[in-house]
Amino acid sequence: MAEIGTDIQKAKDIIENGGLVAIPTETVYGLAANALNPEAIASVYRTKSRPSFDPLIAHLPSIEQAERYTLTWTQKASKLATKFWPGPLTLLLPKRDIIPDMVTSGLQNVAVRIPKNKLTLELLDRLTVPLVAPSANPFGYVSPTSPVHVNDQLGGKIPYILDGGSCNIGLESTIIGFDKKDNATVYRLGGLDLKTINNEIGYVKVTAHSSSNPKAPGMLKSHYSPSVTVRMGDISQRLESIENVNRVGVISFQKEIEAIPLKNQVVLAPDGDTSTAAKNLFSALRYMDTLDIDILLVEPVPDRGLGRAVNDRLTRAAAT
Ligand code: TXA
Ligand code: MG
């Protein structure tokens, strides 16, 4: 198992020697490596069993640093970065040659973001290189929102997990790209909700539901999947055709489902807040994988706030 601790110097030493460290962010834990070291990057892909066509996000400590690795910024990109970084937002920008092609899977744009976590920002500040950091889970599985989640699956493969506690937001960053006319497109719904983005830059197109979009291969239709079979829809209605309720798990939005044993249930947001649902979603999916059940029933949450991003993840968890 990996060591879990708050030793930034130790994390720095491992990274500088080409090793991997799991790092906390406000969204999910990342599997970090030196973004300028092709061998270290290769080891990130290997450790996650991630296909090489699925590019990585470069994490940086400041806009000035981000500018060192990117070529041109549209007005909207600058506006969003200034307003929301550090925060749950990733921007797709034309890369400079210094970023290895392995980071972007050969694409011209590199994904960049400044994460909002004290330990990780301090680590990024002390390093002289950016960090690539995909979510610290095996490819296709649910993203980790705590050090224990990381350790459960990747603990045997990495030396160190920087412990920032549980992630505040609990959903991956929102990914936005821009065309030549500075029209913005959301490629992944995430921790920064659409309304907040609209308030800053007006209309943005959303293509995050595409299942074969080369711009964001991580948005594959089936993703964020626990091992148990997931079905999404009205839970009570689905239960009508199920005989043995003891073999059913339930993730509901605000209220428990009476017919189901309590230990087989997680209520995402007793307070009715979609941000609470976002924060609890991934640990709920992981919990369901520890139960002896045949099927997991989930219901959509209200579309407001982070609800749309939560529903996106639930839909993908249920996709086969
Ligand atoms: O919140 C997050 O973004 C977390 C934390 C650790 O920062 N990271 C994360 O990374 O979710 P990952 O690798 O699990 O998801 C990154 C997504 C993938 O869907 C990938 O296809 C897309 O970003 N992506 C990365 N670079 C890209 C690029 N150059 N062009 C288009 N999509 C890109
Ligand atoms: Mg991921």
Side-chain angles (χ1 to χ4, degrees):
M1 287 287 110
E3 188 187 335
I4 300 179
T6 56
D7 188 344
I8 296 171
Q9 186 59 42
K10 178 163 185 158
K12 178 172 184 272
D13 291 343
I14 295 170
I15 298 283
E16 283 175 345
N17 284 309
L20 309 186
V21 174
I23 55 166
T25 82
E26 79 282 32
T27 59
V28 301
Y29 273 73
L31 180 63
N34 177 348
L36 305 185
N37 177 341
E39 272 172 44
I41 301 165
S43 132
V44 167
Y45 280 99
R46 248 192 339 267
T47 304
K48 274 186 63 95
S49 309
R50 181 178 177 116
S52 59
F53 61 74
D54 195 2
L56 306 173
I57 299 174
H59 295 65
L60 296 143
S62 65
I63 293 183
E64 294 68 45
Q65 286 295 318
E67 283 169 347
R68 284 183 54 185
Y69 299 96
T70 50
L71 285 167
T72 45
W73 289 55
T74 68
Q75 249 181 7
K76 284 179 186 165
S78 300
K79 215 168 167 190
L80 289 172
T82 310
K83 179 84 182 184
F84 299 116
W85 278 352
L89 168 71
T90 293
L91 300 177
L92 302 177
L93 299 168
K95 81 175 193 73
R96 287 188 199 263
D97 288 343
I98 185 173
I99 294 285
D101 285 336
M102 272 176 84
V103 171
T104 65
S105 304
L107 296 171
Q108 291 305 305
N109 284 334
V110 60
V112 289
R113 96 173 185 101
I114 304 179
K116 189 172 185 172
N117 175 278
K118 230 176 127 191
L119 287 176
T120 292
L121 280 173
E122 174 73 31
L123 172 63
L124 285 167
D125 255 334
R126 289 198 209 170
L127 288 164
T128 55
V129 294
L131 290 172
V132 285
S135 52
N137 51 279
F139 183 69
Y141 195 72
V142 182
S143 298
T145 52
S146 76
V148 172
H149 291 169
V150 179
N151 219 4
D152 280 348
Q153 289 176 306
L154 300 183
K157 298 180 173 180
I158 60 175
Y160 199 59
I161 301 171
L162 202 52
D163 185 358
S166 291
C167 301
N168 277 334
I169 291 178
L171 285 183
E172 301 83 355
S173 58
T174 302
I175 301 180
I176 305 189
F178 312 89
D179 67 13
K180 290 213 168 66
K181 291 185 179 153
D182 204 10
N183 297 304
T185 300
V186 167
Y187 291 99
R188 178 173 71 182
L189 295 165
L192 187 65
D193 70 82
L194 280 180
K195 205 168 158 193
T196 308
I197 295 166
N198 291 149
N199 285 344
E200 204 53 29
I201 59 165
Y203 173 79
V204 288
K205 192 172 148 196
V206 179
T207 63
H209 280 275
S210 144
S211 58
S212 58
N213 192 323
K215 280 220 168 120
M219 295 316 292
L220 297 171
K221 203 169 127 220
S222 169
H223 217 71
Y224 312 101
S225 302
S227 307
V228 62
T229 303
V230 184
R231 291 286 175 264
M232 186 169 177
D234 183 88
I235 294 171
S236 305
Q237 205 176 342
R238 288 222 170 238
L239 281 174
E240 283 169 18
S241 57
I242 291 178
E243 275 175 23
N244 187 356
V245 291
N246 293 316
R247 310 276 317 157
V248 177
V250 162
I251 296 179
S252 59
F253 176 55
Q254 201 174 359
K255 288 200 185 79
E256 277 140 7
I257 306 291
E258 228 172 274
I260 302 292
L262 279 183
K263 76 159 182 44
N264 286 11
Q265 298 197 49
V266 176
V267 177
L268 289 179
D271 62 2
D273 188 333
T274 54
S275 302
T276 312
K279 195 168 172 170
N280 292 327
L281 175 65
F282 288 156
S283 52
L285 287 170
R286 282 171 181 264
Y287 172 70
M288 289 297 153
D289 263 351
T290 68
L291 300 177
D292 188 19
I293 53 175
D294 300 326
I295 191 163
L296 166 60
L297 303 182
V298 302
E299 64 183 1
V301 308
D303 246 0
R304 60 177 181 265
L306 292 183
R308 195 165 160 187
V310 169
N311 290 333
D312 170 86
R313 301 304 187 272
L314 286 171
T315 306
R316 285 172 212 282
T320 45

